[in-house]
Amino acid sequence: MNSSAKLRVSILTALTAIYCAHPAVGLAADSGQAAHGTKRVYKIKRITKDLLRMVDKAALTRVKPVYGAETALIPKEFVKGQESTQNASTILNFVPGINATSTNPLGVKTHISVRGFSQTQVGYTFDNLPIADLFNGGLSGGNNNYADLTNLIPITLGETSGIRVTYGTPAPDVNSVGAIGGNIDYLPRLPTKRSYVTVFSGYGSFSTDNYGVEADTGNKSGYGNLFARFSSRQTSGYLHGAKDRQYSYYAAYDIPQITPTSKWSLIFLLNKNQGVTPARMPMAVLNQYGRYYQWPSSFTYANSKTEHMMAVLQNKTLLSSNAVFGMKAFYAYSNSDRLEYVNPNSDSPYNSFVTFYLNPPLTVCQYSGNDFMGNNSPACQDQTINGDNYHSYSYQTNTFGFNPSVNWFQHYVNLKAGGLAMISTYDSQDFVYGTPNVPKIAGYNDLWDEHGWRMYSKIYGQAKIKPVSSVAITPGIKYEIMYTHLNDVPGYYYSVGANSGRSYSELSPYIGIEYRPLSSIKLFADYAVGYKYPNITAFYSADSNATTTSPSTPVTIKPERVNTYQFGAQYASGPVNVSVSFYRSDFVHTFSSYYDTSNGLTYEYNIGSSQYQGVNIAAQFAIDKYVSLYGNYSLQAATYTSNSSSQYGVTTSIGEPRPNTPTYLAGVGVLAHYGRTNGRLYANLVGPQYVEASTGAPTSISMPAYATMSFTLSHEFPIHRYGIDDISVGLSGINLLNSDAYIMEKQFAYINGYNGNYIEAEPMMPRSFFGTIKLKF
């Protein structure tokens, strides 16, 4: 073989490793070792695959260290069988240390905590690109702002080939923003080499049904490869009258290769949701009228339409036999429109019907000069707007991003460098009127009409150094810049137009280490510094304080900073896989949020220091080739570590608990398979967690522990006639114990002269069953 032929073979071998393997860095490093012993590398890969097959039989998730930090992977084999009973949030309950809930099977109003960290302290990515709201965090606006995006569902399980969870502040190459408590990366569905068409349908409790179709063209030379999917799901919901419907469109296309050293691909997803926004219910009302009670529509209601779209163009190019250039350009669009009604004749002690409740009724006057609404000033003439019992709330973001990277693979060192640049625009409006066809006239009937933008950028460098085969050291560093600008049009909450903004820049080091003293044991540890930048609610007080003679007050809030320490060990041998890890995260400038019942606004603020710490244990064991067991246990605690006070009158003391952190989480399950039949039975236990006040202050109220048990059962019938390859049927049951637990959200003060406080709560999904059928052609 001549030298040019050898070079072509070398290039094609490297491309195969880069494009077909996952993760790319690990397998490309193996490819780099091939020149030093092809047979040795082949044996290692083969043994690894054999071990993974054995462990996969026992595992709903795989836990292992990556860059010295603990990660967990929900594999595609498990994801693809769960769409009828789980959504992209609740499926995370199978991962150690995670607690996730939603108020219907489709995924409305999610709450997620990772080792006690709230969903706004966790990052969310799709193919390692941010999908969380850049202004508020979380998958649906974070739920810390009472004008949140309850019905927004950016990602569904049908678009996912697996989910990777990184615990703690992630390495610099993870492209999430503000992920100080961990990151959840949804891996995209991609085309395969085999062509097929699948149609599916299902039905279950609460009149929940779904149907859809998937198609893969297979590898068509000269035409590329396309995977496309459509699905529809709807449910009447277990909450009274909370109907919801979802449409999902997805496509992944491998563009025909122009050259053998460069590959282009395109991913597109669009998720639409339309339904009733569940109300936040006081526990006293649920205890009186039933745990699934919702306010009657004559009193209050809210209907929402939301959509999330994302398009990603990706390129990977081989620069040399050991260097790869990667590029992702993306655009994301989110929109939410919600119409709310509140009976103007109501006299209720509760302040949180749907989003907010204004009492007394709105006083409005026609905008003139520098005044808008207020006290009949000379520049303000009374103007009737036919009532204020209908609220038209809209929220829209447009995000453009670019993510370049370069990987350089050597025998002892892998180097990675790159960056992420994003700009996101934001429009949030709330208009009021006396009829459902609410006009939108700025300076006339808007509670607020604000526009803003955020620019985020980072550059990073990272290395994986292997001085010997048993040791891997991963140093890294990233530099971030975040700039925010907000413009508020005159409205009820903002008497005059105002502008505010602030920029932040921070440097974050990272170091991880992995050591394998024996082939079956791996020790790991990492240290990371991370920052979470203020949500948009931190800027509200600046604009609301503006007057005709004074601009917005300066934004003084500081980024939340965390120092994260993790260490642990993993034992993996044959069918046994056990891991244990310890962590501690020290915070300064801890974020909290204050909900002002007098005007319905939420303000984010800093309050002292805090600490999160705990231990994660996960074990998997294959009894034989038919039956496997798994279990996990997490012990976690979060407390304030300083005596502090805020400008909103909230105080904290050393040792007081941080809210919404379960004291422990546990899961246990059994997996059995025989021939083409598979079954799983599993149970989760969630420990007590403290509830916070709407002001952000800690309380002594604790949500009781609760347990759930669920199962899945499926069988595949081979057909191979009439064009049908096989038919799969499945049955799933959720909450078999019919646990009657409530998710307690916040404590509120009564209004309208009533004294005392009340708790908002969301009931768990009751016992329910779902059946599915799938035909593959």
Side-chain angles (χ1 to χ4, degrees):
M1 183 181 293
N2 59 36
S3 59
S4 62
K6 290 181 179 179
L7 178 60
R8 286 195 298 271
V9 171
S10 176
I11 291 174
L12 291 175
T13 301
L15 276 173
T16 302
I18 292 165
Y19 298 146
C20 301
H22 193 82
V25 173
L27 286 174
D30 289 340
S31 300
Q33 295 173 359
H36 300 271
T38 301
K39 292 183 179 180
R40 177 173 175 270
V41 174
Y42 174 75
K43 287 179 65 178
I44 290 174
K45 286 185 176 180
R46 188 175 68 182
I47 292 171
T48 300
K49 289 180 180 179
D50 290 343
L51 286 175
L52 287 177
R53 277 197 214 97
M54 298 176 73
V55 174
D56 276 345
K57 294 177 182 179
L60 297 180
T61 61
R62 294 198 298 267
V63 179
K64 65 177 184 178
V66 175
Y67 300 147
E70 191 176 34
T71 68
L73 174 69
I74 301 179
K76 63 181 180 181
E77 293 82 4
F78 182 60
V79 171
K80 67 182 181 182
Q82 294 294 319
E83 190 177 5
S84 62
T85 54
Q86 302 291 338
N87 54 62
S89 298
T90 57
I91 196 172
L92 296 169
N93 285 315
F94 298 114
V95 177
I98 292 188
N99 182 38
T101 63
S102 60
T103 55
N104 75 17
L106 278 59
V108 165
K109 201 173 193 300
T110 62
H111 291 274
I112 301 173
S113 69
V114 178
R115 293 201 310 199
F117 296 99
S118 72
Q119 60 189 6
T120 59
Q121 296 172 308
V122 176
Y124 305 86
T125 53
F126 176 74
D127 197 21
N128 198 27
L129 295 174
I131 55 173
D133 185 291
L134 191 59
F135 295 90
N136 287 297
L139 283 177
S140 55
N143 298 118
N144 68 326
N145 183 351
Y146 275 68
D148 60 25
L149 313 179
T150 296
N151 289 63
L152 184 67
I153 302 175
I155 191 77
T156 69
L157 286 184
E159 299 152 349
T160 305
S161 64
I163 305 171
R164 181 185 292 111
V165 176
T166 300
Y167 296 95
T169 304
D173 66 332
V174 175
N175 290 318
S176 55
V177 181
I180 54 179
N183 187 67
I184 299 169
D185 186 29
Y186 294 93
L187 309 177
R189 292 280 297 272
L190 298 174
T192 65
K193 295 182 179 180
R194 182 185 175 189
S195 62
Y196 65 88
V197 174
T198 299
V199 295
F200 55 90
S201 183
Y203 187 80
S205 301
F206 329 122
S207 300
T208 301
D209 66 68
N210 71 294
Y211 60 86
V213 59
E214 297 177 353
D216 196 320
T217 64
N219 192 4
K220 303 296 184 182
S221 179
Y223 295 95
N225 193 355
L226 174 67
F227 170 76
R229 186 179 195 276
F230 165 78
S231 69
S232 172
R233 301 180 70 195
Q234 64 178 346
T235 182
S236 294
Y238 62 92
L239 301 177
H240 294 171
K243 294 183 178 181
D244 196 44
R245 180 150 199 166
Q246 179 186 85
Y247 295 97
S248 175
Y249 308 83
Y250 181 82
Y253 181 49
D254 288 338
I255 300 171
Q257 288 184 232
I258 300 175
T259 69
T261 59
S262 184
K263 179 181 178 181
W264 292 86
S265 60
L266 180 65
I267 294 176
F268 173 85
L269 65 85
L270 173 62
N271 291 310
K272 295 187 174 184
N273 184 278
Q274 179 175 347
V276 174
T277 301
R280 298 173 169 90
M281 297 300 299
M283 279 202 67
V285 174
L286 297 179
N287 291 335
Q288 181 178 1
Y289 294 103
R291 59 196 306 262
Y292 308 119
Y293 179 79
Q294 291 275 283
W295 300 118
S297 58
S298 59
F299 180 50
T300 184
Y301 66 81
N303 296 320
S304 294
K305 293 182 179 180
T306 65
E307 58 183 341
H308 175 82
M309 186 271 284
M310 189 172 188
V312 182
L313 177 65
Q314 181 176 201
N315 173 255
K316 291 183 180 179
T317 299
L318 192 66
L319 301 177
S320 68
S321 60
N322 57 2
V324 181
F325 171 77
M327 180 277 295
K328 294 178 183 178
F330 63 97
Y331 167 70
Y333 167 79
S334 291
N335 182 63
S336 175
D337 287 298
R338 183 170 66 221
L339 180 67
E340 300 174 333
Y341 168 77
V342 177
N343 192 320
N345 297 319
S346 62
D347 180 20
S348 172
Y350 305 112
N351 185 263
S352 51
F353 296 160
V354 180
T355 299
F356 48 80
Y357 176 58
L358 292 177
N359 190 58
L362 182 65
T363 300
V364 184
C365 59
Q366 180 66 47
Y367 171 65
S368 176
N370 291 321
D371 292 303
F372 168 62
M373 300 180 180
N375 302 314
N376 294 322
S377 64
C380 184
Q381 300 176 357
D382 288 340
Q383 179 74 23
T384 300
I385 61 169
N386 193 28
D388 62 349
N389 44 318
Y390 287 92
H391 294 227
S392 176
Y393 171 68
S394 63
Y395 181 96
Q396 182 183 103
T397 62
N398 291 272
T399 303
F400 300 85
F402 181 67
N403 170 221
S405 63
V406 176
N407 291 268
W408 185 59
F409 306 110
Q410 289 295 312
H411 182 55
Y412 297 106
V413 180
N414 295 337
L415 298 178
K416 181 184 294 186
L420 176 64
M422 295 191 302
I423 184 167
S424 186
T425 63
Y426 153 90
D427 296 296
S428 177
Q429 305 168 329
D430 197 332
F431 292 85
V432 297
Y433 206 62
T435 60
N437 56 333
V438 180
K440 296 183 178 182
I441 306 173
Y444 170 55
N445 65 326
D446 59 312
L447 296 184
W448 70 80
D449 183 6
E450 62 191 25
H451 313 274
W453 56 272
R454 271 196 156 172
M455 181 181 69
Y456 172 85
S457 60
K458 81 166 182 179
I459 56 174
Y460 71 89
Q462 187 173 308
K464 184 175 183 181
I465 305 169
K466 298 195 72 174
V468 295
S469 60
S470 60
V471 176
I473 303 171
T474 305
I477 194 166
K478 68 178 176 182
Y479 178 69
E480 297 176 295
I481 299 175
M482 173 76 84
Y483 180 73
T484 304
H485 176 81
L486 182 65
N487 172 37
D488 278 294
V489 175
Y492 176 74
Y493 289 148
Y494 306 98
S495 59
V496 298
N499 292 273
S500 59
R502 182 171 174 179
S503 63
Y504 301 91
S505 58
E506 303 293 349
L507 191 67
S508 302
Y510 180 94
I511 182 71
I513 185 169
E514 298 175 23
Y515 171 54
R516 190 187 292 273
L518 300 172
S519 60
S520 59
I521 296 177
K522 182 178 286 189
L523 308 178
F524 58 92
D526 82 322
Y527 165 74
V529 176
Y531 293 88
K532 184 183 185 307
Y533 300 98
N535 290 333
I536 198 67
T537 52
F539 295 79
Y540 289 170
S541 59
D543 284 3
S544 61
N545 290 332
T547 68
T548 56
T549 59
S550 175
S552 300
T553 55
V555 177
T556 59
I557 192 168
K558 299 178 180 179
E560 197 171 35
R561 174 192 163 110
V562 62
N563 292 320
T564 297
Y565 311 84
Q566 300 184 87
F567 66 93
Q570 180 189 37
Y571 172 81
S573 178
V576 178
N577 191 317
V578 179
S579 69
V580 57
S581 64
F582 302 86
Y583 71 94
R584 193 182 88 181
S585 295
D586 294 324
F587 283 78
V588 293
H589 313 311
T590 305
F591 282 156
S592 192
S593 60
Y594 176 86
Y595 176 70
D596 192 336
T597 57
S598 66
N599 62 17
L601 287 179
T602 301
Y603 305 103
E604 190 173 58
Y605 60 90
N606 297 124
I607 183 138
S609 60
S610 57
Q611 184 180 90
Y612 290 70
Q613 57 185 339
V615 57
N616 269 14
I617 302 173
Q620 303 155 3
F621 176 65
I623 297 176
D624 54 31
K625 63 180 180 179
Y626 300 115
V627 180
S628 307
L629 304 175
Y630 83 96
N632 58 71
Y633 179 76
S634 299
L635 186 66
Q636 48 204 22
T639 58
Y640 286 99
T641 55
S642 66
N643 299 322
S644 306
S645 61
S646 78
Q647 65 269 41
Y648 300 104
V650 176
T651 61
T652 62
S653 301
I654 296 175
E656 280 189 307
R658 288 280 292 162
N660 308 317
T661 300
T663 53
Y664 59 84
L665 297 170
V668 62
V670 57
L671 169 65
H673 68 96
Y674 183 81
R676 295 176 180 268
T677 302
N678 293 277
R680 295 183 179 95
L681 178 66
Y682 46 92
N684 289 325
L685 177 64
V686 179
Q689 51 189 298
Y690 285 95
V691 180
E692 72 176 337
S694 61
T695 60
T699 72
S700 59
I701 301 172
S702 180
M703 189 179 82
Y706 65 90
T708 61
M709 178 178 290
S710 305
F711 80 92
T712 63
L713 182 65
S714 65
H715 183 78
E716 182 182 287
F717 297 91
I719 304 297
H720 303 300
R721 62 177 65 181
Y722 313 119
I724 301 175
D725 289 343
D726 55 66
I727 297 177
S728 300
V729 296
L731 178 66
S732 301
I734 302 297
N735 194 9
L736 300 180
L737 304 176
N738 204 29
S739 172
D740 59 356
Y742 293 96
I743 303 300
M744 298 181 182
E745 190 172 81
K746 286 183 184 291
Q747 180 192 62
F748 278 81
Y750 287 112
I751 62 171
N752 292 340
Y754 295 84
N755 297 320
N757 302 302
Y758 66 96
I759 296 289
E760 287 183 346
E762 299 168 0
M764 294 286 295
M765 187 183 297
R767 183 188 298 118
S768 51
F769 299 93
F770 302 87
T772 59
I773 183 170
K774 179 184 293 186
L775 282 71
K776 188 173 184 179
F777 299 89

